[in-house]
Amino acid sequence: MIDRVYIIHSQKDENLAKELFHVLWAVNLESFSPLLKKAPSISMAERIHYGIRHADCAIAIITGEGSVSPCANQEIGLAVASGQLIIPLLEKGEELPVLISHLQPVTFTKNTYEDALGMVVQNIRNLTRLDWLKIRCPYCGEEMTQYITPQEEIDKALMAGNDLETMCSYCERSIALDPRTFRPMS
């Protein structure tokens, strides 16, 4: 069962990691990145060890910056040595680091990153059970939980170029969701 995900990324890819963090949150997966979660009295090395040790899988964001980041490459090495399942998110035109070069990456460009995030969620969903979706209503701001849309309906919405539809259980307003990231469209 995958409940916790460790996000490997370079400091310059912090915005991509934040987007991934929000998508994982939406499908009720806990995620951890030592660059995003600061603990002043705990060293970066300890946060990395803790995060990888307690994760069920790791997602490595590999961009031009990420492929040359010593820290990201060390995290990949630690995840490999720990026997972690690793899902690489690879920017088109870049190469995977040697320790994970045998893996099949989910590729993206700056314009297709949300599509790649949808593929990552679909891959995780194929490996484990994802039942719940968390949504913050764009109108009233309340956070609600509901059953996640079946993958067949998500695929139909993607093929048709449609959004997913839901309703806020608090203000009862209709909400359109991006079928890739489950983010409310406002």
Side-chain angles (χ1 to χ4, degrees), residues 137 139-140 142 144 166-175:
C137 178
Y139 305 111
C140 69
E142 292 292 333
M144 61 182 163
T166 192
M167 180 180 284
C168 178
S169 55
Y170 295 95
C171 69
E172 297 184 354
R173 290 181 72 177
S174 183
I175 303 171

Side-chain angles (χ1 to χ4, degrees), residues 50-167:
Y50 172 84
I52 291 174
R53 239 186 356 257
H54 290 91
D56 300 311
C57 83
I59 298 175
I61 301 171
I62 308 297
T63 64
E65 298 294 332
S67 64
V68 295
S69 166
C71 187
N73 279 290
Q74 289 173 0
E75 289 175 66
I76 288 170
L78 184 57
V80 167
S82 300
Q84 284 288 348
L85 167 67
I86 301 173
I87 300 171
L89 259 170
L90 180 67
E91 185 175 29
K92 201 169 198 139
E94 299 302 324
E95 291 186 26
L96 289 174
V98 68
L99 289 177
I100 59 171
S101 61
H102 63 286
L103 299 177
Q104 180 66 41
V106 175
T107 58
F108 70 93
T109 64
K110 297 293 182 199
N111 297 328
T112 62
Y113 189 62
E114 288 185 338
D115 295 331
L117 295 180
M119 287 298 300
V120 167
V121 169
Q122 184 178 5
N123 285 334
I124 291 173
R125 195 171 187 183
N126 287 336
L127 292 173
T128 194
R129 189 173 166 172
L130 297 179
D131 292 329
W132 297 101
L133 185 63
K134 288 191 282 191
I135 303 164
R136 184 171 310 279
C137 178
Y139 305 111
C140 69
E142 292 292 333
E143 182 182 304
M144 61 182 163
T145 305
Q146 65 184 38
Y147 282 111
I148 196 166
T149 307
Q151 189 63 46
E152 297 79 29
E153 289 182 39
I154 293 169
D155 292 342
K156 285 179 188 175
L158 287 169
M159 294 295 286
N162 295 331
D163 298 329
L164 299 173
E165 296 294 326
T166 192
M167 180 180 284

